[in-house]
Amino acid sequence: MSTVKSSLNKWQNKKLCSLLNYANLSLLFKASVHGYNVNTFHQKCNMQGPTVIVAYNKSGYVFGAFTSKDFRQTNQNVVDEKAFLFSFNDKEMKEDPTRVLSGNPQFAFTDTGPNFGSLVFLYNNTATVYSNPGAYQFDPQQMHGNDLQLTECEVYRVEEYGALMEKPWRNVQWNSERRKALLSIIYGWKPSVSSVKQARILLVGPVGAGKSSFFNSINSVFKGYVSSQANTGTAGTSLTTQFRTYYIKPGSGVSHVPFTLCDSMGLEEGLNTGLDVDDFASILKGHIQDKYQFNPSMPIQPDSPHFRKSPGLKDQIHCVVYVIDACKVKLLPDRMIDKFAVFRRKTNQLNIPQLVLLTKVDEACPLVEDDLKNVYQSHYINKMMQEVSAQLGVSLSAVVPVKNYCHELEINSQTDILLLNAVVQMLRATEGYFDDLYNPDERSE
């Protein structure tokens, strides 16, 4: 099963956020996945702070309810002066959303489920809504078109982005001199082991997280213009079906880039889908050669022509980078987190350093979208970095935010600085790996 995704399209999301002071929405519950069941609703949505219920019907209505209070399953009436019902029609995109406050905030909702009195969602544990204007006065035709059969029902946690931190919590210089300095650090880096000429960095992550886009972005930085070599897209299953070793072409006046990026099949939740843990282990040990075609139902066999029987240190992986979409941190299913844990254990057994690349930070936070220099002053991005640190069991210092090039036609200095800083962290982690691996007399002079 793939990652649970929101049913809100871009226009719907914009309309809904306009009612919520442009807050961030984190999906907690999706009835088509979790079931049209009140008990499951409470399991997913209790004690989550402000939430908004979003219901959909075949008539094109998107309608629901917001509360600033927790669901607790107390079976009591809840007071909430900020609660309201809303509606807009996907087929009437020019109309402003309908917003209805309660005539009696003492009975904003009854904590027996998504029960707002005048509208009761998941009614009798079915894909229907009960409608009876009362404390909330509305025209049923305007609210839901008298279509009470739901095609979907979702619940989102409503999170305010908040003002920027007074000072950035990581210091970054955003000028062109810093970009040049980072490039100089990278070009000047040299593995401390004579048998290795380039650090091999493996990118691992869920489908659509931005692994291949990260390679394309790094390649663009070194080329000086936006380029696309690795396949990217938004397919439901991994676009990367082969193990690929991508070599970065050096810029003018430079003969060598001291690292390669290895791309793998995307991680998926289900059995026999996505990158297999045995294949992952074989990649780490250097057994799998470039352009090996993955077969999720059967890991590579020693008699495969792409199986390297006696890999050297130069063939092995020297740093593993887990790529996570900042917009999906709160949506990572338990089975995906469990799969990460298995991969982490395999990597730990080989003492290979591990980092986390948090992608799409501009899409996750509008303050960062407005100005990328806000990335280390955004409360929200800081929170996402802390959450992914806790979920994957890595230190916060090992989590690095980036923005990939995806729709731009030209590179820009700020994006480059974040990308190059990520590469520097990977090379430093690799150097630590070599330091631990060999005695001083085994290193190059």
Side-chain angles (χ1 to χ4, degrees):
M1 188 175 75
S2 60
T3 303
V4 180
K5 296 181 180 179
S6 168
S7 293
L8 290 167
N9 62 35
K10 189 172 183 179
W11 180 85
Q12 292 167 343
N13 187 78
K14 186 176 181 179
K15 281 289 185 183
L16 183 55
C17 287
S18 72
L19 293 168
L20 301 167
N21 295 320
Y22 297 95
N24 180 66
L25 302 180
S26 291
L27 185 61
L28 299 171
F29 171 84
K30 189 176 182 73
S32 63
V33 174
H34 302 122
Y36 289 87
N37 185 279
V38 170
N39 287 332
T40 307
F41 161 83
H42 277 296
Q43 290 171 11
K44 297 287 184 180
C45 305
N46 279 359
M47 304 301 295
Q48 294 291 333
T51 52
V52 61
I53 298 165
V54 184
Y56 309 76
N57 64 23
K58 287 185 178 180
S59 300
Y61 287 85
V62 179
F63 61 105
F66 167 80
T67 177
S68 66
K69 305 295 184 180
D70 281 317
F71 286 103
R72 298 172 181 263
Q73 206 166 359
T74 62
N75 299 325
Q76 302 293 316
N77 292 322
V78 178
V79 179
D80 186 4
E81 294 183 353
K82 297 180 179 179
F84 62 84
L85 305 182
F86 71 90
S87 175
F88 50 88
N89 194 314
D90 204 24
K91 298 176 182 178
E92 300 170 6
M93 297 178 66
K94 293 182 180 181
E95 289 192 4
D96 291 331
T98 298
R99 186 173 182 269
V100 181
L101 294 171
S102 173
N104 186 353
Q106 301 295 316
F107 301 94
F109 69 94
T110 304
D111 197 11
T112 57
N115 181 350
F116 286 75
S118 301
L119 286 179
V120 182
F121 304 90
L122 311 182
Y123 186 58
N124 288 336
N125 292 325
T126 63
T128 59
V129 60
Y130 169 83
S131 176
N132 184 22
Y136 296 90
Q137 286 294 316
F138 57 82
D139 177 357
Q141 179 63 40
Q142 190 178 36
M143 179 61 67
H144 43 61
N146 287 313
D147 181 356
L148 304 180
Q149 188 70 35
L150 301 183
T151 58
E152 185 60 273
C153 185
E154 299 173 325
V155 183
Y156 295 83
R157 179 170 49 228
V158 179
E159 302 168 336
E160 294 184 8
Y161 288 107
L164 292 172
M165 296 178 183
E166 186 176 343
K167 295 180 180 179
W169 61 279
R170 281 182 184 168
N171 292 320
V172 176
Q173 294 176 305
W174 296 100
N175 49 47
S176 57
E177 288 75 18
R178 181 56 182 167
R179 181 183 182 277
K180 292 177 183 177
L182 290 168
L183 281 170
S184 178
I185 291 170
I186 293 168
Y187 282 134
W189 185 84
K190 182 181 179 182
S192 59
V193 179
S194 59
S195 62
V196 177
K197 302 303 180 186
Q198 291 180 304
R200 284 171 60 84
I201 300 164
L202 176 64
L203 305 177
V204 180
V207 173
K211 296 185 290 85
S212 301
S213 293
F214 178 70
F215 162 73
N216 287 336
S217 298
I218 293 297
N219 204 29
S220 298
V221 176
F222 283 89
K223 282 188 172 184
Y225 58 88
V226 176
S227 66
S228 181
Q229 181 177 338
N231 289 333
T232 62
T234 56
T237 55
S238 182
L239 284 172
T240 304
T241 59
Q242 293 181 326
F243 175 68
R244 292 307 317 270
T245 299
Y246 290 116
Y247 296 90
I248 308 295
K249 185 177 180 181
S252 59
V254 180
S255 61
H256 176 72
V257 175
F259 70 93
T260 60
L261 294 175
C262 302
D263 197 6
S264 57
M265 195 173 192
L267 298 187
E268 298 182 43
E269 289 180 71
L271 295 173
N272 299 325
T273 58
L275 181 62
D276 179 83
V277 66
D278 290 332
D279 276 339
F280 174 71
S282 294
I283 293 172
L284 297 184
K285 296 173 183 177
H287 290 300
I288 293 185
Q289 300 182 48
D290 188 33
K291 296 187 179 180
Y292 167 69
Q293 185 73 39
F294 289 109
N295 178 358
S297 61
M298 179 182 293
I300 192 170
Q301 302 299 305
D303 58 355
S304 167
H306 285 91
F307 187 89
R308 186 183 290 112
K309 290 182 171 58
S310 301
L313 181 60
K314 66 180 178 62
D315 304 309
Q316 298 168 18
I317 296 300
H318 309 131
C319 180
V320 174
V321 177
Y322 303 105
V323 184
I324 306 289
D325 180 348
C327 304
K328 304 287 180 63
V329 171
K330 293 180 179 295
L331 302 180
L332 286 175
D334 290 341
R335 281 187 288 181
M336 181 65 73
I337 294 173
D338 291 343
K339 185 164 283 190
F340 271 119
V342 172
F343 280 53
R344 292 253 302 128
R345 284 195 293 271
K346 286 284 185 183
T347 310
N348 286 334
Q349 289 169 3
L350 297 172
N351 295 316
I352 298 172
Q354 300 163 77
L355 300 176
V356 176
L357 202 65
L358 194 67
T359 62
K360 306 183 185 180
V361 290
D362 57 318
E363 296 179 28
C365 178
L367 298 174
V368 177
E369 183 178 31
D370 289 342
D371 188 347
L372 196 59
K373 295 194 297 293
N374 290 333
V375 67
Y376 287 121
Q377 286 181 265
S378 164
H379 286 283
Y380 185 74
I381 295 301
N382 176 264
K383 183 179 179 182
M384 292 303 99
M385 292 175 68
Q386 292 190 47
E387 288 203 16
V388 79
S389 166
Q391 286 179 335
L392 270 62
V394 299
S395 68
L396 185 58
S397 62
V399 182
V400 185
V402 295
K403 174 197 178 314
N404 289 332
Y405 287 112
C406 55
H407 56 78
E408 296 85 354
L409 297 178
E410 302 292 338
I411 63 173
N412 70 75
S413 182
Q414 294 174 8
T415 302
D416 285 1
I417 286 169
L418 277 187
L419 290 165
L420 291 171
N421 183 64
V423 173
V424 169
Q425 300 309 311
M426 295 172 195
L427 295 179
R428 288 174 176 171
T430 300
E431 188 61 34
Y433 172 65
F434 291 144
D435 285 346
D436 290 340
L437 200 59
Y438 286 102
N439 295 320
D441 59 353
E442 295 179 84
R443 300 181 194 142
S444 60
E445 296 296 330

